Each structure stands twice: as C-alpha cells, then as structure tokens.
Amino acid sequence: QVQLVESGGGLVQAGDSLRLSCVVSGRTFSSSTMAWFRQAQGKEREAVALINWSSASTYYAASVEGRFTISRENEKNTVALHMNSLKPEDTAVYYCAARKGSLQTNAKYYSYWGQGTQVTVSS
C-alpha cells in the first residue's frame, strides 16, 4: 500500500505563490509517476502536473505551464508543487496521486490518492 498526505493549501490573493507538499509512505515503485490533480467545484478532476519518480520527466497542463513547477525530493519521499502567479481560476481542491508506470493524465489510471488540500485564490 502507498499512503499520500498533502499539505500546504490555503487562501491567497491573485499573483501570490503557494507550495503544496505530498509525503509518500508505504510501498513505492522506482518507475512510478507522481501527479497533482485538481478539482474545482462542478468540474471534472484534471491533471495539473506529473513527474516520473526515477527519470524526473514532467508534464504540465497548458493552463499552468510556466507558472507551476513539480519536483521530487527522493531523500524525503516528498513531491512538491510550486505555484506562482496564482489566478482565481486556480481555485480548487488539489490532490496528490500515484501510479506504477509512465506519465498519464487520466485520473482513472491512478491507484493511490491523498485526501486533498484546498487552494483558494481571491481576486
């Protein structure tokens, strides 16, 4: 089993920055993909940023590319999402997720999920 615990959400103003963290514990896989998804009220869950744990290859949604950065800290078993220049449309519950295998943007391919952390960006 893999356990994921997110932290770092909160209420910020447009243009501010925020850092989300996801601590990974339990069984992990060297070829795993770690992901940040988000779900705004009334909308589907969408992939925001992905990273391969071993190769560090990444994917970003077009809406966040250039503003968000995903990173992993192997020694701490942590995946972070650095969010800059936040916009009101970034408001959502952000989820950390993990899967064994390559980068995938479809949430159905992820077996492990954190509880989510709320990010609210005021205008």
Side-chain angles (χ1 to χ4, degrees):
Q1 277 292 68
V2 175
Q3 292 82 41
L4 307 174
V5 178
E6 306 104 330
S7 62
L11 171 63
V12 297
Q13 293 186 332
D16 285 351
S17 299
L18 206 57
R19 179 182 182 272
L20 305 182
S21 292
C22 174
V23 177
V24 184
S25 60
R27 185 180 180 185
T28 58
F29 306 97
S30 60
S31 61
S32 61
T33 291
M34 299 300 302
W36 285 97
F37 284 78
R38 68 185 180 187
Q39 188 164 20
Q41 198 166 8
K43 295 189 177 181
E44 290 188 357
R45 193 167 297 192
E46 64 170 344
V48 174
L50 316 175
I51 187 167
N52 182 274
W53 193 269
S54 55
S55 71
S57 58
T58 57
Y59 160 89
Y60 294 96
S63 58
V64 307
E65 190 151 21
R67 299 188 299 122
F68 290 12
T69 302
I70 189 170
S71 63
R72 82 233 192 289
E73 300 175 19
N74 290 0
E75 65 281 4
K76 296 181 181 179
N77 267 12
T78 298
V79 176
L81 185 66
H82 305 263
M83 305 184 293
N84 297 320
S85 303
L86 283 162
K87 304 176 181 180
E89 50 264 42
D90 294 318
T91 295
V93 178
Y94 284 71
Y95 296 92
C96 179
R99 69 180 299 270
K100 181 180 180 181
S102 60
L103 303 182
Q104 286 284 350
T105 58
N106 193 319
K108 71 178 183 180
Y109 292 112
Y110 288 79
S111 302
Y112 306 101
W113 292 86
Q115 80 285 358
T117 185
Q118 176 71 46
V119 172
T120 304
V121 184
S122 64
S123 58

